[in-house]
């Protein structure tokens, strides 16, 4: 049976960035999709998630995941609607989440495509607080951070998709929570809206001193998602037996060679030893994929009851994804960054 | 009742080292001990333990333990015999282990003094395989390393007090074990006597390549007790989900400022993240003091049955302790370094 041909707009990797990505590293293309065959579904992208880890996929340096090849569609999670189905488990109109990438349409065999939970205020939440960033926040905090009432936690990018959830869950668990964010508007939001005990502006001239003042009992958990100067300011404040879950290093994603000295590694090693610190990297779905039900059953009620709030930064139009992503790496977003690819 | 006065020979910290310690940093003294009062015991030192952590106590940089003050007796564990007792729990002739320091005699109120297990071939084993170094090896490997059959473990200072035990316990647990040691005599001992699968000489010109060849399936556990170039060679070989128990950094103990660049910290952070590595510092008695019975009940039969072998490097005479300690930091000892302070 013949099918109406589908035109697909997509953004491919045109070249690998050296340092910060530029618009030249991306290319927008228009292609015609092949007909569906048995077992496949045609997906129309509604929301595309933009996340810092994507910078790693643009490089061919060894990493935990294969890079995007030159000319290939940029990878990424998205919320889509099933437009046509030749797969027994999916029906036209279903809303799903999957790794369909930076494009207006996708064809899938149903693997790694999941129905989104019903009753969400916006389906895009499946890309945020109830999706990969929320689960990254929750699992790193609970499993590696092991929060205890009365302890002090610091998290950077505190208004972002991961940091905002880390801090709010830590507040629920009874910790003192100090955020770090860029600029007074974000800091005000973190304290007034999200309920953190304090938030320090990393653009402040006296950032390290202000962080030390806000953490007058030291730091028991540093949830690491940025690296760079926040890490440097945190290390001297760590308490004995501190834990550092490590899920991201956005501050250094654009570096392509070792920075000049001094060499800070020996000092870190000494701190890990003398303060008996645990630092542990993790990749959420690889390490905790089997614990997704636990995460959803904890987080969904918190979100429903307003105990965990969540802010989105929505950019309209797939063609604007590259600029939005470049801004994300510079901290220009305010909240979880998503691209609205289609309105219906 | 009057007591015979006791003359005590002791070694005090004369000055703080800058970089590697020298003989000038120590001073030998002869003093007369005060009379015992009720509740005290007089101890005669038989064996003094020399361990790398003592370098940290000579500095006043912030650390997990207070420094030795100028003019104070150097701290250290020792096996002693009770010479006189005014304490109900101790009797003349008892053999005990305690932190009595670098001196021929000590007075104690019995706190932190423990009878040594009976039936040891030599009482000095309470300072080694069945003492602090052995327990450091065991707890770091078992609790943080979490060894699994078939995995590959690397440990440096493989002929030393900690490394030799780490490797032998890992062999008992079914791992492939690769040691690192300085010089062919130590490497031969580690393979032929201790039963490691391989041992690489860190003085070799092609050390990193040889380590990579010996770890053809990568490294799952790196038991870190040295830091420096061994750490650098290990990092690129780490497997996903590798664990790094960190108990010492002998290679950098003598550094007194941050080395010049390049800055290796960002690269380490990236490795921790992309390979989801866990690195954790620990101080054995602070973190695992309550698990000493578990350690003894595991280790004592292995030692008795010859499954864990143990080599001592015995130096005669308290006056030779400073030179022996300086040599320890340079790797000149071969086996657990102890000073025989008295023969009876």
């Amino acid at each position: 049976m013949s099918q109406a041909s589908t035109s697909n707009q997509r953004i491919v990797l045109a070249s690998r960035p050296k340092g910060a990505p530029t618009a030249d590293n991306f290319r927008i293309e228009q292609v015609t999709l092949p007909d569906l065959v048995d077992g496949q579904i045609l997906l129309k992208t509604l929301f595309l998630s933009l996340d810092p880890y994507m910078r790693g996929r643009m490089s061919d340096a060894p990493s935990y995941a294969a890079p995007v090849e030159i000319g290939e569609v940029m990878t990424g999670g998205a919320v889509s609607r099933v437009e046509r189905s030749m797969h027994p488990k999916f029906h036209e109109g279903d809303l799903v989440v999957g790794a369909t990438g930076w494009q207006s349409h996708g064809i899938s065999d149903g693997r790694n495509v999941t129905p989104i939970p019903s009753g969400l205020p916006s389906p895009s939440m499946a890309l945020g607080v109830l999706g990969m960033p929320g689960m990254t926040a929750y699992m790193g905090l609970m499993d590696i951070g092991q929060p205890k009432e009365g302890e002090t936690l610091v998290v950077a990018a505190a208004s972002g998709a991961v940091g905002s959830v880390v801090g709010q869950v830590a507040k629920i668990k009874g910790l003192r929570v100090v955020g770090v964010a860029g600029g007074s508007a974000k800091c005000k939001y973190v304290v007034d809206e999200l309920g953190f005990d304090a938030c320090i502006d990393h653009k402040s001239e006296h950032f390290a001193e202000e962080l030390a003042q806000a953490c007058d009992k030291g730091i028991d958990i540093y949830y690491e998602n940025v690296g760079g100067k926040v890490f440097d300011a945190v290390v001297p404040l760590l308490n004995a037996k501190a834990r550092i879950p490590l899920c991201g290093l956005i501050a250094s994603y654009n570096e392509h060679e070792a920075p000049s000295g001094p060499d800070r590694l020996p000092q870190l090693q000494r701190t890990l030893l003398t303060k008996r610190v645990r630092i542990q990297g993790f990749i959420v779905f690889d390490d905790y994929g089997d614990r997704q039900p636990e995460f959803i059953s904890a987080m969904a009620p918190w979100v429903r009851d307003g105990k965990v709030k969540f802010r989105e930064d929505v950019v309209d139009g797939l063609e604007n994804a590259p600029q939005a992503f470049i801004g994300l790496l510079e901290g220009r977003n305010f909240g979880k960054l998503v691209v609205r690819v289609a309105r219906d």
Side-chain angles (χ1 to χ4, degrees), chain A:
Chain A
M1 195 178 85
S2 116
Q3 304 168 15
S5 70
T6 302
S7 179
N8 182 37
Q9 189 182 47
R10 66 188 193 181
I11 294 175
V12 302
L13 182 65
S15 58
R16 300 202 185 281
K18 297 225 188 316
T22 63
D24 292 347
N25 300 132
F26 304 93
R27 187 174 64 237
I28 195 158
E29 292 181 347
Q30 201 79 34
V31 297
T32 300
L33 289 180
D35 286 351
L36 288 194
V37 299
D38 255 1
Q40 289 186 330
I41 50 179
L42 174 66
L43 296 169
K44 180 177 181 179
T45 309
L46 302 181
F47 290 98
L48 166 66
S49 180
L50 294 180
D51 301 281
Y53 76 84
M54 295 166 171
R55 175 62 184 84
R57 303 290 197 284
M58 299 177 76
S59 296
D60 54 6
S63 185
Y64 54 90
V68 176
E69 297 298 336
I70 302 293
E72 271 189 2
V73 178
M74 284 289 296
T75 51
V79 164
S80 304
R81 194 178 54 224
V82 176
E83 287 285 279
R84 198 179 307 148
S85 177
M86 297 179 69
H87 188 295
K89 290 196 183 153
F90 295 92
H91 304 94
E92 211 179 295
D94 288 354
L95 292 180
V96 298
V97 61
T100 41
W102 297 27
Q103 54 187 350
S104 68
H105 293 79
I107 290 175
S108 166
D109 62 5
R111 277 185 293 184
N112 303 316
V113 171
T114 317
I116 69 168
S118 59
L120 297 188
S122 160
S124 60
M125 292 178 82
L127 302 174
V129 65
L130 289 167
M132 185 273 286
M135 185 159 156
T136 298
Y138 179 85
M139 292 309 317
L141 174 63
M142 299 304 288
D143 191 65
I144 302 173
Q146 299 184 11
K148 290 168 200 71
E149 196 175 335
E151 290 188 330
T152 298
L153 171 139
V154 170
V155 62
S159 65
V162 174
S164 63
V165 177
V166 168
Q168 292 176 92
V169 174
K171 283 305 297 176
I172 292 170
K173 298 291 175 188
L175 281 75
R176 174 173 172 79
V177 173
V178 177
V180 174
S184 57
K186 288 180 182 174
C187 283
K188 189 170 157 46
Y189 165 77
V190 163
V191 173
D192 293 350
E193 296 296 317
L194 302 183
F196 286 32
D197 296 286
C199 187
I200 312 299
D201 183 354
H202 65 70
K203 296 175 180 172
S204 158
E205 195 184 343
H206 305 290
F207 166 65
E209 292 82 349
E210 290 168 22
L211 184 68
Q213 278 173 12
C215 303
D216 59 338
K217 292 181 182 167
I219 298 171
D220 301 294
I221 304 175
Y222 173 53
Y223 189 104
E224 172 64 300
N225 53 359
V226 298
K229 71 177 178 184
V230 180
F231 186 84
D232 293 347
V234 161
V235 168
L237 305 176
L238 291 172
N239 287 333
K241 307 284 287 175
R243 289 83 65 198
I244 307 181
L246 168 61
C247 80
L249 292 165
I250 191 169
S252 66
Y253 284 170
N254 286 334
E255 289 171 0
H256 58 287
E257 56 187 34
S260 61
D263 181 7
R264 299 175 300 158
L265 179 59
Q267 180 55 42
L268 174 68
Q269 291 174 315
R270 272 193 292 273
T271 300
L272 295 180
L273 174 60
T274 59
K275 294 187 173 168
R276 303 127 72 198
V277 172
R278 172 178 178 177
I279 176 167
Q280 183 169 346
F282 69 102
I283 309 291
V284 67
F285 287 129
D286 292 2
D287 293 325
Y288 299 112
D290 58 334
R291 291 172 70 176
Q292 196 163 16
E294 170 194 336
F295 157 67
I296 293 288
S297 64
M299 189 64 67
W302 288 334
V303 172
R304 189 190 57 220
D305 301 345
K307 287 186 181 167
V308 173
K309 295 176 187 170
F310 189 66
R311 180 183 176 115
E312 286 183 342
D313 188 336
V314 182
V315 172
D316 266 300
L318 181 64
E319 67 279 10
N320 294 316
Q323 278 307 329
F325 178 68
I326 290 166
L328 173 71
L329 296 178
E330 295 167 356
R332 282 197 267 124
N333 60 305
F334 187 174
K336 171 68 188 104
L337 185 59
V338 293
V339 177
R340 193 185 340 249
V341 179
R343 287 197 170 265
D344 61 14

